[in-house]
Amino acid sequence: MKVGFIGLGVMGKPMAKNLLRAGYGLVVHNRSRDPVQELVDAGGEEAFSPKEVAERTETIITMLPDSVQVEEVVLGSEGILETGKRPGFILVDMSSIAPLVAQKIEKEVSAKGGDVLDAPVS
């Protein structure tokens, strides 16, 4: 199984490394290059946009700093939902975001046939 991971900051990068250690294939994306390269060196695959992560995986984890970034990654012009994802994909958002934004994202993902697990880390 190949998992997408977007957001390789202080909390996201160790989480992504644990997925690799557990034997999952991993496609990663982050705004800054260094953590991406570190995970590629450990066996992950690089994606150049959230859209590309979504094109290559069926389960995507986001671990981002705030509501604005989650909205951009999921709903933006190069976002996860721009791929025409097949029904059944799963988005696990581990970002700590505003409840109204989480509800908006869930509505949009559901409309495309996906499921959302709101799993904030605080």
Side-chain angles (χ1 to χ4, degrees):
M1 174 184 193
K2 200 175 279 190
V3 176
F5 206 105
I6 301 170
L8 303 172
V10 172
M11 293 173 30
K13 186 173 70 171
M15 294 169 147
K17 283 182 175 180
N18 284 337
L19 289 169
L20 281 172
R21 282 188 208 109
Y24 289 93
L26 195 64
V27 178
V28 296
H29 175 70
N30 196 66
R31 287 185 305 183
S32 58
R33 179 84 178 102
D34 289 343
V36 171
Q37 188 58 53
E38 188 175 333
L39 284 156
V40 167
D41 292 345
E45 300 174 29
E46 180 174 12
F48 295 96
S49 70
K51 179 181 177 182
E52 186 180 341
V53 172
E55 289 169 346
R56 295 166 51 190
T57 63
E58 290 302 319
T59 300
I60 304 158
I61 300 169
T62 54
M63 184 67 208
L64 300 162
D66 58 39
S67 298
V68 173
Q69 289 181 325
V70 175
E71 279 190 280
E72 181 63 26
V73 162
V74 178
L75 307 175
S77 63
E78 285 293 312
I80 292 166
L81 293 185
E82 288 299 305
T83 62
K85 291 296 292 173
R86 294 179 301 278
F89 72 96
I90 299 169
L91 171 63
V92 180
D93 181 34
M94 301 188 80
S95 315
S96 296
I97 62 173
L100 290 176
V101 174
Q103 291 168 351
K104 175 182 177 181
I105 287 170
E106 192 280 328
K107 182 179 177 182
E108 296 291 329
V109 169
S110 291
K112 298 278 187 173
D115 292 306
V116 177
L117 176 60
D118 184 25
V121 175
S122 56

